[in-house]
Structure formats: C-alpha cells, structure tokens
Amino acid sequence: MLRLITDFDGPIMDVSERYYRVYQFCLEKIRYPEQSVQQLNKAEFWQFKRSRVPERQIALNSGLDATQAQEFAQLRRKTVHTDTYFQHDSLIPGAVEALLKIQQAGIDLAVMTMRRVKELDYAVKKYDLDNFFPENRCYCLENDYVKTSDIEDKPLLMERALAELPEAADTWMVGDTEADIAAAKKHGIKVMAVESGIRDRTQLEIYQPDLIVPDLSTAVKLILESSPVRIS
C-alpha cells in the first residue's frame, strides 16, 4: 500500500489572507493615536512571512517603535489562531482535485497538521473535506495541547501516526515548512515541500527535502507517475 501524508495549511489551505488580516488588526491596535504607520500591502507582507522575517521586524518595517514591535508580536501570536480569523482561509487552487486523484488511485491518505481539533474540524466541514479525511486519518493537536514549537511537536504527531496507521509499503509526506521536513526525516519518510505555503524556496532548501514542487497538484502528479498505482 502507498500512503500520502499531507499537511493541511499550505498544501490544501491558503492562510495568507488570515495572516494579513491579523497583521492589519495588530498594526491598528498597537499604533499610538495619530501615529503615522506604513502598512505593508499583502504581497509585501506575505513575502516577509515566507522568507521568515521576524514579527518584530515586520512591525518595525511598518513604522512601529521597538516597544510597540514587541507588543505587536505578542498580540499577533494571541490572535492569529482565533476563531474570528479562520473564516479568511481559502482552498489552494487545484488542491481538492489533487486529493480526488489520490483517492481514486487507491492511495491511503492522511492529514497531519499543527491545527487543533476544533480548527481542523471547522475547515474540513466548511469545505466538505470529510470524505478525504475521516477521523482515523486526521492527526492534529488536542484543543488543550500546550505547544512547544512546530519543529518539535510535528515529529511527535508523525510518531503517533506511524504507530496507529496500518503498515504501508511506501509513504510520502507533503508539507510547506521546516516542521514537515523534520517530521518526515526523523522517521525516514520521503518528503516533498510545496511552494504554495508559508515558506519560500530559499527557506525550504535549507532543510533539504527530497523534492521541492510548486503545489500539491504537482506533488500528486509525481507520486502517481513514480508508482505502479494508476487511476482506473
């Protein structure tokens, strides 16, 4: 059996609008009355995020002072995963079609994400993805889980998944961050990094995934081409 384990945000969901709305909110909330700030446009902001520019530096680049920049970073962390903003996420173009191809090819499909249960459930229901990701193929954080860092927490999710899932002859991981690459490499799983998420190619190359591809559609195409499994 061939298995694909995919991250959720990045390969499937576009989170850029949510992150940008939170940036706008935090900038407005932290600025002093009458203070002139230089709000980044979405493209500028997202490129900063993808190249891992620190939150405080983004704040400084937007016209906040050093004290405000610290407050900005703290408020952003508290806000970005709140219910109010998840509505701004959207599907990556072609992602659902890619999932359908995997399903039709008989490849075992699982999702592994740093979202909490309620956050994953919200998106799965909103976009009718239940058929792709039944409960026994969803690996995410419990609602009360105390996070350390993604690069530490995600390998633990991978360890749990490999212990619980039926044995597979071959497994691929698809993700968009260093945490996905680390989780796969720690457990000897091949990994494709996609450029459709929150890291640009330069950042992804640092962690040396097996392949870097534009998006999930391309990843699925390559997996199907390299496997004896074919869509009927």
Side-chain angles (χ1 to χ4, degrees):
M1 178 174 64
L2 178 61
R3 172 172 292 131
L4 171 63
I5 300 173
T6 180
D7 188 16
F8 195 68
D9 295 332
I12 299 171
M13 298 301 299
D14 179 354
V15 301
S16 61
E17 184 66 20
R18 166 161 51 106
Y19 278 55
Y20 186 60
R21 295 286 186 106
V22 171
Y23 159 74
Q24 292 177 306
F25 165 77
C26 293
L27 186 61
E28 181 61 29
K29 193 80 171 174
I30 298 299
R31 66 188 288 268
Y32 302 130
E34 310 304 322
Q35 180 183 10
S36 176
V37 294
Q38 297 83 47
Q39 179 178 290
L40 303 170
N41 64 41
K42 184 180 175 181
E44 292 170 330
F45 166 78
W46 193 235
Q47 186 51 54
F48 278 146
K49 290 298 298 179
R50 297 188 74 235
S51 57
R52 299 191 75 186
V53 173
E55 296 294 336
R56 282 176 290 182
Q57 188 59 52
I58 290 175
L60 292 171
N61 290 352
S62 303
L64 300 182
D65 63 31
T67 300
Q68 289 175 304
Q70 182 64 34
E71 294 173 354
F72 172 94
Q74 292 172 347
L75 180 60
R76 182 264 173 195
R77 281 193 296 272
K78 291 178 183 176
T79 309
V80 72
H81 298 299
T82 55
D83 294 346
T84 304
Y85 287 93
F86 275 105
Q87 64 179 308
H88 298 297
D89 291 346
S90 59
L91 287 166
I92 296 280
V96 171
E97 291 82 359
L99 294 174
L100 190 58
K101 285 183 180 179
I102 282 288
Q103 193 175 63
Q104 290 173 339
I107 295 172
D108 192 58
L109 180 63
V111 64
M112 183 175 295
T113 174
M114 289 291 96
R115 286 190 182 223
R116 298 185 184 279
V117 172
K118 64 180 182 180
E119 297 163 356
L120 180 59
D121 283 351
Y122 168 80
V124 166
K125 288 180 172 59
K126 180 177 179 179
Y127 293 102
D128 297 322
L129 301 175
D130 308 67
N131 186 47
F132 298 115
F133 302 118
E135 189 175 343
N136 67 352
R137 290 298 186 274
C138 292
Y139 289 88
C140 57
L141 302 180
E142 295 298 327
N143 291 327
D144 59 355
Y145 184 86
V146 179
K147 292 185 181 182
T148 54
S149 70
D150 287 3
I151 206 163
E152 294 179 17
D153 291 335
K154 200 140 201 180
L156 296 176
L157 271 186
M158 181 66 80
E159 182 178 9
R160 181 182 140 212
L162 295 178
E164 293 179 1
L165 291 170
E167 187 174 348
D170 197 16
T171 300
W172 276 98
M173 174 76 189
V174 175
D176 69 322
T177 70
E178 60 280 358
D180 299 305
I181 299 168
K185 286 195 164 194
K186 182 172 182 179
H187 296 283
I189 291 171
K190 294 176 294 184
V191 56
M192 284 193 218
V194 294
E195 297 178 85
S196 56
I198 202 168
R199 297 288 183 262
D200 62 21
R201 190 178 188 91
T202 300
Q203 290 299 316
L204 294 171
E205 285 175 345
I206 294 170
Y207 297 91
Q208 300 181 320
D210 294 286
L211 290 167
I212 299 176
V213 296
D215 50 30
L216 182 62
S217 296
T218 308
V220 168
K221 182 174 182 290
L222 291 174
I223 290 170
L224 292 175
E225 288 175 352
S226 65
S227 168
V229 179
R230 289 290 183 270
I231 299 173
S232 57

